């Protein structure tokens, strides 16, 4: 019986080649998208799951409220003292480790002891000696146990070890690690494989926290309210109740830090975040240790995948039910000789499953071939190995089964419901309800396609808005390079003077943070007569006197810095002036304060500059003051040439003369700013590609229905031509039937797209307004595409010789 069904199924595929091709092509295209997205989502859910006790590891995070005029501080960092005290007080906590991002910026250098050659390296961390008791890493040299027990020990990733030592063993060798704060010598006690497992924490090297400097400060810090700069992780015992432990934290904080928090005018809470939730469930949490994703992004992708596969299934339903008259006699005969309806349903479902599995067999090699392109869309590096990853095999089979069932269940029920008497007598007619359903499904298909088109238009317009918006400074022709050591910072003035002598250099300024870098320095300030309780949090940045001129940041009151200034003279931005309830004019000469008791620091306002966006346009402008810093971390150079190769060569020559022991590395400011919008650009690329697929599949179905309609109305068209109808009138008649559902889809999709994109735009503080012409443009595009799709069949039918068509009939 099954063999007979397979024969009939293949016979029908080859007999109706064009419709089989349209069905298989549509399902294959949909399956390619669906399969890749499901593999991508599976990969995103796999972050930090490779750690042995991942389900028992939690990250501590702070939630701090100040006065009502201040934004809430919601950070994944805490005060250094909290994690070790939790281990001491709570038996549920088996172990803790803290991570300090001391070597995470571009201002770090590594080199082999005794050699002058160095290179910059980001993502290095100071960690407790217990780090490898909490996290699991695969070591290729040495072993994790006791590798960080001693001060001034370091563990390297295999990539960094190769940079330093080539193919030689790194274990027990001495290296120098430094930044613009300090340089020290460390012993390499291990090398780990950085490709083992996916993690939110991606270190390139790890250094024992007990190695002097900031690490020593953090280990001895007893501050319970402020100094929330440490990443802290705790590992619970297997039987511990995480929720019950979290419920004890408020009393724990009150016991140790109530008085200090009152002095600082803050309400502080500490929460526990599951390690495996960090990558996908950290939206709105500041100061992430690395790049994280967002579960809503995965929901968008899964929704797109489901809809594209559904569009492909709808094609199958429409084409199968439209051509059901070709199978009517087969159904009638089978029923007449005793076939049960359930057997017919099974037969037709089997045919749809066969087509679904053919689509899967075609989709798999296509996904493997297109994998580099698809990875470029999602900015990922997925690999697919069917022989090793049985989860992907399971996903593939599941997609085929679900697709076959969803696509085939209605046609199977519809075809098996034919009455044998009416079929065999030749009185069989289409059920009007099935015609209405086909039109409704076409409306559904194009509603999805139009929604995606509007989404593409809105995202593109928002990204263009970001590109063109005045950020409050000039970002073009700015070259940025770091001063990674004390020696480099000490040579800043000499470097500046040498470079300003070159005609290609317009101006040059120094800064601690430049736009696109997150400003980590902040403090709570208040006016005379106030206190920390009445103060507000303000970002602070050290700048050299020519920074504002180089960046094109305009002063609106007071003056710029002068060489005689100290770091107690500050320049505010407009937002800080507003938060102090001053005007730019009245702010000049005002004193602001930080601290409590006898430990109060005084700052004098000497100028006010216009606001500028230091971060992404997703966030508002922070209140900020700049202080005078003659030893900046970064140099920003304003170039006045298009010959960048020559300019960079000249800069490097000057650099090597003045700072021979530090590597010269640079970046372009406008490129750094564009990197803030990688997620949005990724989303645009994904929706662009999948919108094309959705339109392609929808048009395949429309093409098939137009072909079927032209076949069904052959006699009518012949009669109309004999009676004098023109080719244009017949083409219009046939095309109009398919334009109606497309126009209805536009009406349905427009409010849905508006709601979805308006919600997406709310993620930006600065964004476009969704204008009516975006919907009009989407409508015109879809109507033109639909007309092009059906016009071929319509014109072909209209040009047919009426004598031949009527003779055939």
């Amino acid at each position: 019986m099954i063999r007979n069904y397979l024969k009939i199924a293949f016979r029908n595929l080859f007999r109706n080649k064009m419709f089989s091709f349209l069905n298989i092509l549509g399902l294959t295209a949909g399956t390619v998208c669906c399969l890749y997205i499901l593999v991508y989502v599976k990969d995103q859910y796999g972050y930090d799951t490779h750690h042995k006790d991942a389900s028992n590891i939690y990250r501590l995070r702070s939630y701090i409220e100040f006065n009502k005029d201040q934004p809430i501080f919601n950070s994944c960092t805490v005060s250094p003292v909290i994690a070790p005290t939790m281990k001491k007080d709570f038996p549920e906590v088996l172990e803790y480790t803290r991570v300090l991002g001391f070597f995470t910026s571009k201002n770090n250098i590594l080199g082999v002891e005794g050699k002058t050659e160095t290179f910059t390296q980001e993502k290095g961390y100071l960690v407790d000696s217990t780090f490898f008791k909490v996290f699991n890493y695969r070591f290729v040299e040495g072993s994790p146990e006791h590798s960080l027990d001693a001060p001034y020990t370091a563990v390297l990733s295999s990539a960094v070890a190769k940079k330093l030592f080539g193919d030689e063993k790194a274990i027990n060798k001495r290296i120098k690690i430094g930044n613009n704060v300090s340089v020290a010598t460390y012993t390499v006690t291990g090398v780990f494989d950085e490709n083992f497992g996916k993690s939110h924490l991606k270190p390139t090297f790890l250094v024992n926290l007990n190695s002097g400097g900031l690490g020593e400060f953090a280990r001895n810090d007893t501050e319970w309210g402020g100094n929330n700069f440490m990443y802290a992780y705790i590992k619970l015992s297997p039987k511990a109740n995480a929720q019950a432990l979290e419920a004890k934290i408020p009393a724990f904080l009150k016991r140790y830090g109530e008085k200090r928090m009152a002095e600082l005018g803050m309400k502080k809470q500490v929460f526990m975040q599951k390690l495996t939730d960090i990558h996908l469930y950290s939206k709105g949490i500041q100061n992430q240790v690395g790049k994280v994703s967002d579960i809503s992004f995965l929901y968008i992708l899964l929704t797109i995948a489901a809809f594209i596969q559904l569009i492909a299934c709808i094609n199958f339903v429409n084409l199968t039910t439209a051509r059901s008259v070709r199978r009517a006699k087969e159904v009638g005969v089978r029923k007449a000789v005793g076939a049960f309806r359930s057997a017919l349903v099974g037969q037709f479902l089997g045919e749809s499953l066969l087509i679904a599995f053919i689509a899967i067999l075609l989709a798999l090699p296509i996904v493997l071939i297109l994998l580099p392109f698809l990875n470029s869309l999602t900015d990922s590096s997925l690999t697919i190995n069917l022989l090793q990853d049985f989860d992907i095999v399971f996903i593939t089979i599941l997609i085929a089964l679900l697709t076959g069932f969803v696509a085939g269940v209605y046609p199977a029920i519809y075809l098996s419901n034919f009455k044998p008497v009416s079929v065999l007598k030749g009185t069989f007619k289409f059920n009007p309800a099935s015609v209405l359903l086909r039109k409704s499904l076409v409306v559904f298909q194009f509603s999805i396609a139009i929604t995606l088109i509007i989404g593409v238009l809105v995202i593109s317009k928002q990204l263009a808005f970001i590109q063109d918006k005045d950020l409050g400074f000039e970002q073009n022709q700015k070259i940025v390079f770091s001063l990674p050591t004390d020696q480099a910072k000490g040579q800043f003035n000499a470097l500046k003077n040498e470079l300003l002598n070159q005609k290609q250099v317009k101006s040059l300024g120094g800064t601690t943070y430049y736009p696109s870098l997150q400003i980590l320095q902040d403090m709570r300030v208040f006016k005379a007569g106030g206190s920390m309780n009445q103060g507000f949090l303000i970002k602070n940045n050290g700048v050299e006197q020519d920074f504002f001129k180089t960046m094109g940041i305009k002063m609106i009151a007071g003056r710029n810095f002068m060489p005689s200034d100290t770091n107690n003279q500050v320049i505010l931005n407009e937002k800080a002036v507003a938060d102090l309830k001053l005007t730019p004019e009245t702010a000049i000469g005002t004193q602001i304060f930080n601290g409590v008791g006898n430990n109060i620091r005084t700052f004098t306002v000497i100028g006010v500059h216009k606001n500028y966006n230091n971060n992404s346009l997703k966030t508002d402008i922070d209140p900020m003051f700049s202080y005078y810093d003659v030893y900046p971390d970064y140099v920003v150079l304003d170039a006045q040439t298009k010959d960048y190769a020559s300019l960079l060569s000249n800069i490097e020559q000057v650099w090597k003369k003045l700072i021979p022991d530090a590597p010269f590395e640079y970046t372009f400011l406008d490129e750094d700013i564009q990197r803030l919008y990688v997620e949005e650009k990724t989303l645009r690329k994904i929706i662009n590609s999948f919108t094309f697929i959705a339109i392609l599949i929808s048009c395949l179905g429309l093409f098939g229905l137009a072909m079927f309609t032209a076949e069904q109305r052959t006699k009518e068209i012949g009669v109309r031509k004999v009676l004098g109808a023109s080719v244009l009138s017949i083409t219009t008649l046939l095309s109009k039937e398919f334009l109606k559902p497309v126009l209805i889809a536009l009406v349905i999709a427009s409010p849905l797209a508006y709601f979805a994109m308006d919600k997406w735009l709310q993620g930006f503080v600065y964004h476009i307004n969704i204008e009516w012409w975006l919907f009009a443009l989407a409508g015109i595009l879809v109507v033109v595409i639909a007309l092009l799709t059906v016009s071929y069949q319509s014109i072909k039918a209209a040009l047919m010789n009426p004598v031949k068509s009527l003779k055939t009939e």
Side-chain angles (χ1 to χ4, degrees):
M1 181 68 75
I2 293 174
R3 186 180 176 186
N4 184 47
Y5 285 165
L6 284 172
K7 274 187 180 180
I8 294 169
F10 279 110
R11 190 180 299 154
N12 279 313
L13 285 178
F14 288 108
R15 185 183 296 161
N16 304 294
K17 293 184 179 66
M18 178 54 74
F19 283 89
S20 299
F21 171 76
L22 293 175
N23 271 329
I24 291 172
L25 180 60
L27 286 173
T28 301
T31 302
V32 167
C33 297
C34 192
L35 180 59
Y36 179 78
I37 287 176
L38 287 177
V39 171
Y40 175 78
V41 169
K42 171 187 172 292
D43 177 75
Q44 292 294 297
Y45 271 103
Y47 272 70
D48 291 303
T49 55
H50 63 285
H51 296 295
K52 182 181 177 183
D53 300 304
S55 60
N56 296 323
I57 301 172
Y58 292 80
R59 181 175 70 179
L60 302 178
R61 63 183 185 87
S62 302
Y63 188 88
I64 300 173
E65 297 174 88
F66 297 102
N67 60 52
K68 63 180 180 180
D69 295 326
Q70 281 284 288
I72 290 169
F73 180 75
N74 184 12
S75 174
C76 56
T77 55
V78 295
S79 304
V81 71
I82 290 178
T85 310
M86 284 187 70
K87 185 189 177 185
K88 178 173 71 73
D89 283 18
F90 301 122
E92 302 98 315
V93 180
L94 291 181
E95 195 54 87
Y96 76 91
T97 192
R98 295 166 297 177
V99 176
L100 178 57
F102 187 52
F103 300 108
T104 53
S105 71
K106 300 173 184 177
N107 282 343
N108 308 306
I109 59 165
L110 274 77
V112 179
E113 186 181 36
K115 294 184 179 180
T116 57
E117 184 183 358
T118 59
F119 61 88
T120 60
Q121 184 66 53
E122 298 179 65
K123 297 185 179 179
Y125 301 97
L126 292 165
V127 298
D128 281 307
S129 60
T130 54
F131 183 84
F132 294 113
K133 293 180 181 178
V134 176
F135 297 112
N136 295 103
Y137 282 73
R138 179 187 292 158
F139 272 54
V140 294
E141 290 185 43
S143 62
E145 296 82 10
H146 311 295
S147 59
L148 290 174
D149 282 1
Y152 296 97
T153 51
V155 173
L156 311 178
S157 68
S158 56
V160 170
K162 189 171 182 64
K163 275 186 184 181
L164 287 166
F165 302 107
D167 295 328
E168 296 179 18
K169 293 283 186 182
I171 197 82
N172 294 326
K173 290 188 176 175
R174 303 274 288 170
I175 62 172
K176 53 186 177 183
I177 302 174
N179 55 23
N180 48 30
V181 177
S182 63
V183 179
T185 302
Y186 298 82
T187 301
V188 179
T189 52
V191 178
F192 63 86
D193 178 7
E194 68 270 19
N195 296 315
F196 175 62
K198 286 182 172 286
S199 176
H200 76 287
L201 185 65
K202 304 177 182 70
T204 57
F205 64 92
L206 299 166
V207 172
N208 183 292
L209 189 67
N210 186 19
S211 301
L214 186 59
E216 191 65 25
F217 168 79
R219 291 179 74 248
N220 297 319
D221 186 17
T222 57
E223 171 65 60
W224 280 85
N227 292 350
N228 294 281
F229 59 82
M230 205 90 172
Y231 301 100
Y233 302 83
I234 57 174
K235 181 162 78 171
L236 306 186
S237 62
K239 295 182 180 180
N241 185 323
Q243 290 181 330
L245 175 60
E246 191 174 55
K248 299 176 185 177
I249 294 178
F252 166 78
L253 288 176
K254 186 176 181 181
R255 183 164 65 250
Y256 286 103
E258 182 178 26
K259 181 180 177 183
R260 179 57 177 162
M261 290 178 209
E263 288 177 348
L264 296 174
M266 64 164 61
K267 294 179 180 178
K268 180 175 179 178
Q269 300 176 70
V270 171
F271 296 103
M272 294 161 49
Q273 184 180 21
K274 201 169 184 180
L275 178 67
T276 50
D277 286 348
I278 291 173
H279 183 65
L280 292 177
Y281 297 93
S282 293
K283 185 176 181 179
I285 303 176
Q286 304 162 7
N287 304 319
Q288 293 295 333
V289 69
K291 181 183 175 184
V292 294
S293 187
D294 182 7
I295 191 64
S296 61
F297 179 64
L298 296 192
Y299 290 156
I300 290 171
L301 292 185
L302 287 171
T303 302
I304 291 173
F307 278 140
I308 287 177
Q309 196 71 349
L310 195 54
I311 288 172
C313 292
I314 287 170
N315 273 2
F316 185 91
V317 171
N318 279 345
L319 295 177
T320 305
T321 55
R323 295 183 61 81
S324 58
V325 67
R326 301 287 181 93
R327 307 289 301 269
K329 285 188 178 180
E330 177 192 340
V331 173
V333 170
R334 284 183 178 278
K335 280 195 167 183
V337 296
F340 291 107
R341 186 181 179 187
S342 59
L344 292 171
V345 169
Q347 176 193 339
F348 294 127
L349 265 178
E351 290 179 12
S352 69
L353 285 169
L354 174 65
I355 291 175
F357 272 97
I358 291 173
I360 278 287
L361 291 174
L362 292 172
L364 273 172
I366 292 172
V367 168
L368 292 173
I369 292 168
L370 293 179
L371 199 58
F373 169 72
L374 294 170
N375 281 339
S376 71
L377 293 182
T378 56
D379 193 27
S380 58
S381 55
L382 295 180
T383 56
I384 296 177
N385 189 333
L386 297 176
L387 298 177
Q388 294 181 0
D389 199 335
F390 295 108
D391 287 344
I392 295 176
V393 176
F394 174 75
I395 288 171
T396 304
I397 295 171
L398 186 63
I399 290 173
L401 291 173
L402 285 174
T403 301
F405 180 79
V406 172
V409 66
Y410 175 74
I413 293 171
Y414 176 74
L415 291 170
S416 65
N417 199 37
F418 290 164
K419 305 297 181 189
V421 175
S422 62
V423 170
L424 296 176
K425 280 186 176 182
T427 59
F428 168 77
K429 292 183 180 179
F430 274 118
N431 185 343
S434 69
V435 177
L436 178 63
L437 177 64
R438 280 201 298 277
K439 290 182 177 178
S440 300
L441 291 176
V442 171
V443 169
F444 180 77
Q445 281 182 310
F446 276 92
S447 295
I448 296 169
I450 292 168
T451 300
L452 289 173
I453 289 173
I454 294 171
V456 167
L457 293 174
V458 171
I459 292 171
S460 298
K461 194 164 186 290
Q462 174 65 13
L463 289 176
F465 168 78
I466 289 168
Q467 190 83 29
D468 299 335
K469 187 181 184 305
D470 180 9
L471 300 177
F473 60 88
E474 297 169 6
Q475 59 177 295
N476 296 321
Q477 293 193 291
K478 302 294 187 296
I479 301 172
V480 181
F481 45 95
S482 67
L483 300 172
T485 64
D486 283 340
Q487 181 204 4
K489 293 171 76 170
Q491 291 289 343
F492 170 73
N493 285 325
L495 183 70
K496 178 179 179 179
N497 293 332
E498 289 256 10
L499 293 178
L500 286 176
N501 287 329
Q502 301 191 21
K503 294 179 181 179
Q504 296 168 306
V505 178
K506 185 177 180 181
S507 64
L508 180 151
T511 182
T512 304
Y513 299 98
Y514 63 89
S516 77
L517 285 186
Q518 184 181 8
I519 297 177
L520 300 177
Q521 294 177 173
D522 57 39
M523 65 174 63
R524 199 161 170 76
V525 299
F526 54 91
K527 291 191 295 185
S531 66
M532 290 288 278
N533 282 326
Q534 299 163 318
F536 67 95
L537 203 64
I538 185 170
K539 299 285 185 180
N540 49 86
N541 183 27
V543 303
E544 180 264 348
Q545 65 192 49
D546 287 330
F547 173 73
F548 295 127
K549 181 180 77 171
T550 302
M551 293 296 297
I553 298 169
K554 296 177 181 177
M555 299 291 294
I556 57 176
R559 64 173 176 85
N560 196 358
F561 292 116
M562 297 187 301
S564 58
D565 286 328
T566 68
N567 57 14
N568 290 326
Q569 277 81 43
V570 297
I571 297 175
L572 305 180
N573 68 351
E574 292 173 290
K575 182 69 166 60
V577 170
D579 285 354
L580 286 166
K581 297 180 171 52
L582 299 170
T583 65
E585 292 73 23
T586 59
I588 306 304
T590 299
Q591 291 187 322
I592 55 176
F593 307 89
N594 166 260
V596 295
N598 296 322
N599 189 24
I600 293 180
R601 187 176 177 186
T602 304
F603 302 93
T604 302
V605 179
I606 63 168
V608 177
H609 64 75
K610 287 190 71 68
N611 286 334
Y612 67 88
N613 292 90
N614 191 77
N615 301 315
S616 159
L617 293 181
K618 290 180 178 180
T619 58
D620 205 350
I621 293 173
D622 291 314
M624 181 171 68
F625 74 66
S626 299
Y627 59 89
Y628 189 49
D629 187 0
V630 293
Y631 299 107
D633 293 346
Y634 294 95
V635 176
V636 181
L637 183 148
D638 187 10
Q640 52 184 5
T641 180
K642 292 185 178 178
D643 187 1
Y644 285 104
S646 171
L647 173 58
L648 290 168
S649 176
N650 292 339
I651 294 172
E652 188 167 12
Q653 287 178 19
V654 174
W655 180 278
K656 286 181 177 178
K657 183 176 76 172
L658 297 174
I659 316 169
D661 293 335
F664 171 68
E665 295 185 3
Y666 65 90
T667 184
F668 290 98
L669 179 61
D670 55 350
E671 293 178 358
D672 281 350
I673 290 169
Q674 289 307 309
R675 289 189 192 100
L676 297 174
Y677 306 101
V678 169
E679 187 177 315
E680 288 70 34
K681 290 181 178 180
T682 298
L683 182 61
R684 180 175 64 176
K685 287 191 292 183
I686 291 171
I687 295 185
N688 276 346
S689 302
F690 291 160
T691 297
F692 172 76
I693 297 296
I695 293 171
L696 172 67
I697 297 171
S698 299
C699 289
L700 287 175
L702 204 60
F703 182 83
L705 289 176
M707 187 194 304
F708 170 74
T709 301
E711 286 179 12
Q712 290 294 104
R713 300 177 72 173
T714 301
K715 184 176 180 181
E716 176 194 340
I717 293 167
V719 171
R720 285 180 181 275
K721 289 198 73 175
V722 169
L723 294 176
S726 65
V727 172
L728 179 61
S729 64
I730 292 173
T731 302
T732 304
L733 176 72
L734 294 175
S735 300
K736 187 168 62 175
E737 179 180 341
F738 294 100
L739 282 181
K740 286 179 181 176
V742 173
L743 292 173
I744 293 170
L746 177 62
V747 173
I748 293 171
S750 294
L752 294 175
Y754 179 87
F755 173 78
M757 297 318 298
D758 183 63
K759 190 166 185 179
W760 180 75
L761 286 172
Q762 287 173 15
F764 294 84
V765 173
Y766 306 92
H767 59 76
I768 62 168
N769 294 318
I770 303 177
E771 299 176 274
W772 65 269
W773 64 264
L774 292 170
F775 301 94
L777 179 59
I780 291 168
L781 284 172
V782 171
V783 167
V784 169
I785 292 168
L787 276 174
L788 290 174
T789 303
V790 302
S791 59
Y792 171 77
Q793 288 298 331
S794 300
I795 294 170
K796 182 181 174 184
L799 291 173
M800 188 179 292
N801 189 336
V803 175
K804 184 179 178 181
S805 60
L806 292 174
K807 184 179 179 181
T808 303
E809 289 292 325

